[in-house]
Amino acid sequence: MKKRLGIISFFVAIFIAFIVIWNYSYQVGLEEAYTPVIETPTGNFIPSESGAFRRFDDAGLDYFNMPVDEDHQRSLATYYNHRAYPGAPPSIPHPVAKERSFGGNTCIQCHQNGGFVAKFDAYAPITPHPEMVNCRQCHVTKNTNTTFKDFNFSKPKPPEVGLGANNALVGSPPMIPHQLQMRESCISCHGGPSAPKEIIVSHPERINCRQCHLPKTNAQPNVDTSTFLRQFDQLNEK
């Protein structure tokens, strides 16, 4: 008798569990479908580099069909001459009307989308971060060519450019020799009439730069790239 009651109790418990699970599944099925919102992760992630696309989406500039003004092209020498060291914010090479002026009313008027400035006979360089309107927090005017006191600081040599200078392998896309913080908008410096002629990209219409170009770190080991040469290339060289 006790054995029979135990079997009945077991099946009753299974039936109750089935009712509970079925009822829960039914109630969940009545809820409206939704897509969970996932917050953008912080740190050195690709989503933080959306600035690479912003110049195309917001400005709508046709970099591919822009003519090249060879008489007013900038050079990398001029580019680095306005910086205390590679990677430093460029100094302001022209007079400033008001020392306490902010970028939204002054600097951004010329440096957001660029253009030729007849007063300086040059194209205004495009800033890669026009949303940061307090320009004078980092950019200062150059008032003297000397220092207040002598020191032994020597300006570091800027990264080399050109064929084979920053390529991981022979024929591979050049790597990015500088940091990405505040330089997410690649096309601001690598396209358009104000870009230094040595680093103007040949394919500005391909806006997903990070698909092929990766940052270069100093921790990369020296690798004998001859191991990775395709036999097809070697055969053609003979």
Side-chain angles (χ1 to χ4, degrees):
M1 186 67 179
K2 291 182 179 180
K3 184 177 181 180
R4 184 179 299 175
L5 289 175
I7 295 175
I8 294 174
S9 300
F10 174 74
F11 282 103
V12 169
I14 292 178
F15 179 74
I16 294 174
F18 170 77
I19 295 298
V20 172
I21 295 174
W22 178 86
N23 181 64
Y24 174 78
S25 178
Y26 176 75
Q27 295 297 329
V28 172
L30 295 178
E31 296 178 0
E32 295 183 0
Y34 72 98
T35 301
V37 178
I38 302 176
E39 296 183 359
T40 302
T42 58
N44 189 20
F45 295 91
I46 294 297
S48 66
E49 300 167 17
S50 60
F53 306 93
R54 194 172 297 126
R55 289 297 308 166
F56 292 89
D57 296 338
D58 297 348
L61 300 176
D62 188 3
Y63 284 92
F64 183 72
N65 292 317
M66 283 186 179
V68 177
D69 188 354
E70 296 182 356
D71 294 332
H72 297 90
Q73 281 188 300
R74 278 202 303 166
S75 65
L76 273 179
T78 303
Y79 178 89
Y80 286 115
N81 186 46
H82 296 308
R83 288 162 171 79
Y85 54 87
S91 59
I92 304 174
H94 58 75
V96 176
K98 297 180 180 179
E99 282 295 330
R100 297 183 181 274
S101 61
F102 285 86
N105 298 323
T106 52
C107 313
I108 298 301
Q109 300 299 320
C110 292
H111 293 284
Q112 182 170 8
N113 292 324
F116 187 77
V117 183
K119 179 180 179 180
F120 302 114
D121 193 31
Y123 287 91
I126 297 176
T127 175
H129 39 264
E131 70 280 0
M132 300 182 179
V133 296
N134 191 6
C135 310
R136 298 304 302 277
Q137 183 176 358
C138 301
H139 302 275
V140 297
T141 56
K142 185 177 181 180
N143 298 324
T144 180
N145 291 321
T146 60
T147 57
F148 296 104
K149 187 177 181 180
D150 294 334
F151 57 91
N152 58 358
F153 173 78
S154 59
K155 192 173 183 178
K157 185 179 180 180
E160 297 181 359
V161 297
L163 185 62
N166 291 315
N167 303 68
L169 301 173
V170 177
S172 63
M175 304 186 73
I176 305 173
H178 56 75
Q179 66 178 14
L180 297 176
Q181 184 181 9
M182 299 184 73
R183 298 181 180 183
E184 297 90 347
S185 179
C186 311
I187 202 65
S188 296
C189 294
H190 293 279
S194 64
K197 57 185 178 181
E198 293 91 343
I199 58 173
I200 292 181
V201 68
S202 61
H203 42 273
E205 74 281 2
R206 301 179 184 178
I207 61 176
N208 192 5
C209 311
R210 291 298 308 280
Q211 184 176 0
C212 301
H213 303 276
L214 300 176
K216 181 179 181 181
T217 62
N218 295 326
Q220 293 171 339
N222 294 325
V223 179
D224 182 9
T225 58
S226 61
T227 307
F228 300 92
L229 287 176
R230 295 178 297 175
Q231 188 175 1
F232 174 79
D233 296 333
Q234 294 177 347
L235 291 175
N236 285 345
E237 291 176 358
K238 295 181 180 179

